């Protein structure tokens, strides 16, 4: 079936969507993006995604080409043009086409691109048995709170996980946990849920916020604080979270079992609460 994309004001078949080789997204990775999960044809936490998009645009000094109401309308239209119940909407804005020069062009028009595909959440097997992860030094830049399309660092790190047969790579900067190549990381120690603080070293994950909200609403003790590497390695549980992975338990780190080497009790509780929350929110939106 032909996939429909959106490019600069028009809907068209994905394979027909083309941008110039001089687009600054292609030349410099000069752009930002969002990935929005869609359940039962309804975008999940759309206002939060649009607010993070604004944060990213502000950080790279690029004006938002549309008001939130227009984004919402276009995203709903894109979803409507696809048949899947659960989708993953990808949107990207670059600084547009200009003669190659590092400094910003004075009068380029941003390139706006969107596509949607099936949302593939982790299988029951992964949720029930957990996933292997490796670790690495976080050598990315110091603006990891910007959801930039310049993802070379993340790609190299993720490939090192793939090479090792692992699902993700858990990152440490200056001896402390940051996040993973495409997910946030949570740690459980002594019944407490620990999360690295939201700052320039991690992407402020939408799923990260959902997990913290659910934990807080259910009386699970939590702390948002700097987490030394040693506390990660000796934790009872580690989870990774993202819009497409939702919440996934890490059962081995660098080949060594985490806790008992099985998804922990707190993970199972949060996972059930997360699924319940999703259904409630989606029902309310219906
Ligand atoms: C580097 C990084 N951290 C965290 C996340 C999780 O963010 P979210 O929960 O909004 O998907 C992502 C998602 O792609 C990511 O790329």
């Amino acid at each position: 079936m032909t996939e429909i994309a959106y490019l600069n004001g028009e809907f068209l078949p994905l394979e027909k969507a083309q941008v110039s080789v001089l687009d600054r997204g292609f030349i410099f990775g000069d752009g930002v993006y969002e990935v929005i999960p869609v359940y039962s044809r309804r975008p999940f936490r759309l206002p939060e995604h649009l607010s993070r998009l604004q944060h990213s645009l502000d950080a790279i000094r690029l004006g938002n080409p549309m008001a939130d109401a227009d984004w919402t309308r276009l995203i709903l239209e894109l979803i409507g043009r696809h048949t899947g119940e659960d989708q993953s909407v990808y949107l990207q804005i670059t600084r547009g086409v200009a003669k190659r020069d590092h400094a910003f062009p004075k009068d380029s028009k941003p390139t706006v691109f969107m596509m949607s595909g099936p949302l593939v959440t982790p299988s029951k097997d992964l949720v029930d048995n957990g996933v292997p992860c490796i670790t690495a030094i976080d050598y990315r830049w110091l603006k990891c709170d910007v959801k930039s399309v310049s993802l070379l660092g993340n790609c190299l790190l993720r490939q090192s996980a793939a090479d090792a047969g692992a699902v993700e790579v858990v990152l440490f900067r200056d001896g402390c946990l940051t996040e993973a190549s495409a997910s946030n990381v949570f740690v459980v120690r002594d019944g407490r849920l620990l999360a690295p603080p939201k700052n320039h070293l991690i992407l402020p994950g939408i799923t990260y916020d959902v997990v913290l909200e659910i934990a807080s609403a259910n009386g699970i003790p939590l702390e948002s604080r700097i987490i030394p590497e040693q506390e990660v390695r000796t934790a009872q549980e580690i989870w990774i979270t993202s819009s497409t992975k939702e919440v996934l338990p890490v059962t081995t780190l660098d080949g060594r079992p985490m806790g008992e080497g099985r998804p922990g009790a707190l993970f199972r509780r949060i996972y059930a609460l997360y699924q319940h929350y999703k259904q409630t929110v989606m029902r309310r939106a219906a």
Side-chain angles (χ1 to χ4, degrees):
M1 214 195 87
T2 313
E3 295 235 12
I4 299 298
Y6 171 91
L7 181 64
N8 295 332
E10 61 167 335
F11 287 95
L12 72 179
L14 181 59
E15 68 272 13
K16 294 256 162 60
Q18 290 180 345
V19 292
S20 162
V21 290
L22 286 178
D23 193 284
R24 288 178 62 99
F26 181 65
I27 294 279
F28 293 120
D30 184 0
V32 296
Y33 76 108
E34 275 296 324
V35 177
I36 304 153
V38 174
Y39 298 106
S40 306
R41 309 185 72 73
R42 289 177 206 107
F44 183 64
R45 292 236 158 181
L46 183 55
E48 288 82 355
H49 280 279
L50 292 177
S51 136
R52 184 173 64 184
L53 177 66
Q54 186 64 56
H55 170 81
S56 298
L57 288 167
D58 290 345
I60 70 161
R61 297 164 56 190
L62 182 57
N64 195 331
M66 270 183 274
D68 281 5
D70 296 320
W71 279 117
T72 304
R73 189 177 43 78
L74 281 178
I75 290 167
L76 292 176
E77 183 164 355
L78 182 69
I79 294 167
R81 286 171 181 258
H82 289 76
T83 50
E85 286 294 296
D86 294 350
Q87 302 177 26
S88 172
V89 169
Y90 176 90
L91 74 84
Q92 168 171 335
I93 308 163
T94 76
R95 209 177 302 276
V97 179
K99 183 170 171 296
R100 187 181 182 280
D101 180 10
H102 290 58
F104 300 166
K106 292 223 164 35
D107 49 10
S108 70
K109 239 177 100 208
T111 299
V112 179
F113 170 65
M114 288 198 280
M115 61 184 168
S116 186
L119 175 67
V120 183
T121 51
S123 64
K124 184 172 177 332
D125 174 54
L126 294 185
V127 173
D128 287 351
N129 296 307
V131 296
C133 287
I134 60 165
T135 63
I137 301 286
D138 191 348
Y139 51 66
R140 301 171 304 159
W141 70 336
L142 291 172
K143 288 180 186 252
C144 293
D145 55 317
V146 180
K147 205 161 168 62
S148 158
V149 296
S150 311
L151 286 171
L152 186 54
N154 303 61
C155 291
L156 287 169
L157 287 161
R158 179 60 164 276
Q159 186 56 39
S160 66
D163 291 343
V167 163
E168 255 291 19
V169 48
V170 172
L171 303 173
F172 298 108
R173 195 191 285 268
D174 299 329
C176 294
L177 173 66
T178 54
E179 57 179 344
S181 72
S183 2
N184 290 110
V185 179
F186 286 84
V187 169
V188 177
R189 288 181 65 88
D190 308 321
R192 300 180 82 76
L193 183 57
L194 310 182
K198 276 204 226 172
N199 56 25
H200 60 292
L201 300 179
I202 69 168
L203 185 79
I206 305 299
T207 322
Y208 168 108
D209 280 344
V210 175
V211 167
L212 286 185
E213 277 173 39
I214 292 176
S216 160
N218 288 278
I220 295 167
L222 55 93
E223 280 175 55
S224 169
R225 66 160 167 87
I226 288 171
I227 309 171
E229 178 171 342
Q230 201 47 28
E231 287 196 49
V232 178
R233 295 199 181 273
T234 56
Q236 279 90 51
E237 299 183 31
I238 301 178
W239 316 334
I240 49 178
T241 67
S242 79
S243 290
T244 51
K245 293 186 205 81
E246 301 186 332
V247 192
L248 256 189
V250 176
T251 39
T252 66
L253 195 63
D254 292 334
R256 283 185 288 276
M258 286 310 307
E260 290 167 5
R262 303 182 36 74
L266 198 51
F267 166 76
R268 290 198 303 275
R269 186 162 168 218
I270 279 283
Y271 183 81
L273 288 167
Y274 189 90
Q275 297 305 321
H276 180 258
Y277 172 83
K278 240 169 60 181
Q279 278 151 19
T280 315
V281 171
M282 291 298 119
R283 254 201 311 273
R284 224 181 287 139

